[in-house]
Amino acid sequence: GEVYAFGDNSSGQSADQPSVQLSSLHLIDSGDLRGIPVRSVACGSEHSMALSIGGSVFSWGCNKHGRLGLGGEHEEETAIKKPTH
C-alpha cells in the first residue's frame, strides 16, 4: 500500500516538507520510499517508520538520540532506507 500523513510536521515526520502543517492527507513518496509498496507504518511524535512488503525499513523525521536507527543525530526530511542485515 501507500503511506499518507497529515497534521504536525515540525520535524519532517509527516512529509518531505518540514515545518509545513498538513491540514489534509499528503502522499509520502519521496526519497527511497518512492514507489515502494508498504506493509506497515509506525509513528512517533517526531518521526515515522515504514516496513515495505519486501522487508526493508524506511525512517524519516527527527533523529535525536538516534531514534531513526541511522546512527548520528542528523535530521532526515525524506524517507530513507535503513540498512538491515
Side-chain angles (χ1 to χ4, degrees):
E2 298 175 322
V3 178
Y4 290 84
F6 67 96
D8 183 30
N9 191 39
S10 57
S11 296
Q13 69 268 37
S14 298
D16 53 357
Q17 302 170 351
S19 301
V20 175
Q21 188 76 5
L22 301 172
S23 59
S24 61
L25 288 177
H26 177 81
L27 175 64
I28 307 298
D29 67 347
S30 62
D32 292 341
L33 192 59
R34 183 181 307 271
I36 303 294
V38 172
R39 176 182 307 274
S40 179
V41 176
C43 302
S45 63
E46 296 184 68
H47 67 288
S48 301
M49 297 182 135
L51 174 65
S52 75
I53 289 175
S56 296
V57 176
F58 298 82
S59 57
W60 60 98
C62 179
N63 192 36
K64 188 174 182 180
H65 305 298
R67 65 182 75 174
L68 296 182
L70 304 171
E73 294 270 333
H74 57 282
E75 300 288 318
E76 291 299 335
E77 298 170 0
T78 60
I80 60 170
K81 185 175 181 180
K82 179 185 179 312
T84 54
H85 303 289

